[in-house]
Amino acid sequence: MTQARKQFILALEAVTKSFDGFKAIHDLTFYMDEGELRVVIGPNGAGKSTMLDLITGRTRPDRGRIEFGRDIDLTRLNEWQINRLGIGRKFQTPSVYTDHTVFENIWLSLEGARGILDCLFARVDSAQKDRIHDLLSTVGLQERAATKAGSLSHGQKQWLEIGMLLAQNPKLLLVDEPAAGMTDEETHKTGELLLSLAGKHSILVIEHDMTFVRQIARQVTVLHQGSVLCEGTVDEVQADEKVIEVYLGRGKRHPPTTNEP
Ligand code: ADP
Ligand code: MG
């Protein structure tokens, strides 16, 4: 193993995953540097969510290697063990405890926090309180600490869930289509949040909204039929013949352009 190889936070090598003979992920090789914010785009069915399922241990690969940090083989671990290593995943639909306050939601997610019943009767110590307020301020919800999570807007629920993930201090954050269903303003704020987290955490974002991709992306990976079609800056990817063909070839889908007026 070479020296350069050591700085990857995530490495997938020749990974294949079939469902009933259909290769959802096909000989996929993908590397991500520590601290990087990477965006993965691709048409529906390209295998983006399956890729996250494979990283998080929700699905097992048929073939290939998936390594985290310094040579940790993720394919041998279960979902819970992978989460404990510091890989947090944010699904598309927010899942927060709607009957609990924003503050309590973060509290319940803190590293080492106990179960929901214990928390109801336990007291928050001052170190925890500071940490919870820091997290709320990071995700822009400090004013909402006492609000029931159920009455937050869709965007605020998404930020709360990102805060809940951050409470576990993940090394790698996997975020599936965070801008879906958000207003333009919420989308922009989400972009700023993710940019502010990059460096401290490594972040892999799956996204469709090209305005948002342009806002946050340094390096974009285009996934198509379960493999990498192209990698580069947003401009490089948008100008790539193969990428244009894939999106145009789909007929109804437009090529990934920035939705500028
Ligand atoms: P994307 O997130 O890029 O839209 P997915 O990873 O969800 O794509 O799906 C890739 C392909 O794999 C699709 O054709 C999908 O139908 C198929 N697929 C994904 N998960 C399963 C599963 N659990 N069982 C059968 N087929 C699946
Ligand atoms: Mg998907």
Side-chain angles (χ1 to χ4, degrees), residues 5 24-25 61 85 104 110 181-182 224:
R5 178 77 182 70
I25 294 291
L85 280 176
E104 287 163 345
L110 280 183
M182 284 192 181
H224 176 56

Side-chain angles (χ1 to χ4, degrees), residues 19-20 22 24 43-51:
F19 294 110
D20 305 320
F22 171 76
N44 276 332
K48 303 181 297 296
S49 297
T50 305
M51 179 180 171

Side-chain angles (χ1 to χ4, degrees), residues 48-49 92 176-177:
K48 303 181 297 296
S49 297
Q92 255 172 274
D176 203 347
E177 297 193 27

Side-chain angles (χ1 to χ4, degrees), residues 148-169:
K148 286 264 164 71
S151 52
L152 295 176
S153 74
H154 172 74
Q156 289 169 331
K157 279 184 193 141
Q158 300 275 22
W159 300 329
L160 174 57
E161 207 185 349
I162 292 173
M164 290 162 73
L165 278 178
L166 293 175
Q168 292 165 12
N169 213 5

